[in-house]
Amino acid sequence: MKIQTHKEHFTNPLYLESGRILEPYDLVYETYGELNEKKDNVIVVCHALTGSHHASGRYEGESKPGWWDPMIGDGKPIDTTKYFVICVNTIGSCFGSTGPMSAEYPSDKPYRLRFPVVTISDMVKAQRILFDRLGIHKAEAIIGGSMGGMQTLAFAIEHPRFAKKHIILASTYATQPWAIAFNKVAREAVISDPAFQGGNYNPEDIKNYGFSGLAVGRMCGHISYLSPDSMDKKFGRNYVETDGLYELFGRYQVERYLDYNGKNFVQWFDPLSFLYITKAINNFDATRNYDSLEDSLSRIESEVVLISFKSDLLFMPKEMKKIHDTLVKIGKKDSTKYIEIDSDYGHDAFLVEYDKFSHFVKEEL
């Protein structure tokens, strides 16, 4: 599989949904496979909150592959012997595309809290501008899970003739209060940490000394990504062997898991990007700027495949089912499909339980 990583620089202004302007800006993206002469064998993969453009394969000297490696590659469900796959790091992220720690032109100082609030629609708009520059005006499919699913739905509604098919996993048509509440706890942990310094922290200090607020925010996220059943199977009531049961700070295995993931997260993700992207997730609502969900979904001209997971507590199956039912209601029964995966893993099943859903993706492609 041929893997290439690129960065594109844009000097034309990006007009944001908020009325603000981002100018100039960069987008980092990664491609897999070969683009055909007609440039129409394209599949766009959209990443989730903490994902990046690196969706598959391994970089030289690194053992950890891209975040959806089992899905993308030669002979895999998203087959790079047939398709040219492209994954773009969203604006607001911290993996090379313009975000809050990028330099605010014409100075060399980072935006920090001066960075504009971006929406899912803004992320998608920037990607369409990139694709136009690359001469890609049609795609076979767009696929994404969680926040990636939000982008996929936004593509379907706002750019209805770009892709033939949209495959949405573990997502929603509008972020509900339950998910916003989880994000509130995580965001408050970041903002309240003295190390945040009103957004004026030194990134090197965070790597060297940690950032407990961001770690706690990640812990909160991990709880919402799993389910009671998956936690019970994974950890039970097992205690850390080296910790005393009657030590005040002794830990159960589930506590050690959260500690590890929280502290590790601080080493590779930026606090301000975390705040801006969770804000974009909270703000996502496919009915905004439209009269109703029926009105917004009526813009869709492609096939829509919705894959939910039974135990997803973050974006519940009924939210995905509502998209399907609404499409059926407005006369699009023949162009929509709803699949509910029998999984007790939780929201992160789309990143873990490939054996339960990958064949559906393969069939759709």
Side-chain angles (χ1 to χ4, degrees), residues 353-364:
E353 295 190 320
Y354 299 103
D355 60 313
K356 292 188 176 182
F357 71 88
S358 61
H359 58 288
F360 289 114
V361 174
K362 186 173 183 177
E363 287 170 9
E364 291 301 325

Side-chain angles (χ1 to χ4, degrees), residues 49 63 104 182 225 228 281 316 331 348:
L49 196 169
S63 59
E104 182 180 11
F182 266 111
Y225 303 153
I281 290 172
M316 299 179 189
D348 265 2

Side-chain angles (χ1 to χ4, degrees), residues 1 3 5 28-32 47 51-60 62 64-69 72 87-89 95:
M1 178 178 69
I3 304 174
T5 307
V28 171
Y29 65 98
E30 198 156 281
T31 63
Y32 314 90
H47 70 76
S52 72
H53 53 282
H54 183 42
S56 187
R58 287 176 172 82
Y59 293 147
E60 187 176 345
E62 292 188 3
K64 189 176 180 180
W67 57 269
W68 231 21
D69 185 69
I72 303 168
C87 183
V88 184
N89 186 219
F95 297 108

Side-chain angles (χ1 to χ4, degrees), residues 134-201:
L134 299 178
I136 296 171
H137 306 300
K138 294 284 183 181
E140 278 293 318
I142 300 175
I143 307 175
S146 192
M147 188 185 84
M150 296 176 181
Q151 294 172 68
T152 304
L153 183 58
F155 264 113
I157 295 169
E158 297 163 19
H159 307 273
R161 297 181 181 177
F162 180 67
K164 295 178 183 177
K165 183 171 289 190
H166 295 82
I167 304 176
I168 302 168
L169 302 95
S171 196
T172 185
Y173 63 92
T175 304
Q176 302 300 309
W178 176 256
I180 293 171
F182 266 111
N183 284 340
K184 169 61 177 175
V185 176
R187 291 165 58 83
E188 196 64 32
V190 173
I191 296 166
S192 300
D193 191 329
F196 185 59
Q197 297 182 39
N200 293 310
Y201 55 84

Side-chain angles (χ1 to χ4, degrees), residues 262-306:
K263 291 173 182 175
N264 183 52
F265 184 61
V266 171
Q267 296 300 309
W268 57 271
F269 208 81
D270 176 68
L272 277 171
S273 280
F274 183 80
L275 293 179
Y276 274 92
I277 295 177
T278 51
K279 181 67 175 180
I281 290 172
N282 286 351
N283 280 351
F284 179 67
D285 184 351
T287 70
R288 191 171 60 247
N289 304 322
Y290 300 95
D291 292 336
S292 63
L293 184 60
E294 289 90 343
D295 183 33
S296 66
L297 297 184
S298 69
R299 269 70 175 170
I300 296 176
E301 299 181 17
S302 64
E303 294 180 56
V304 176
V305 179
L306 301 133

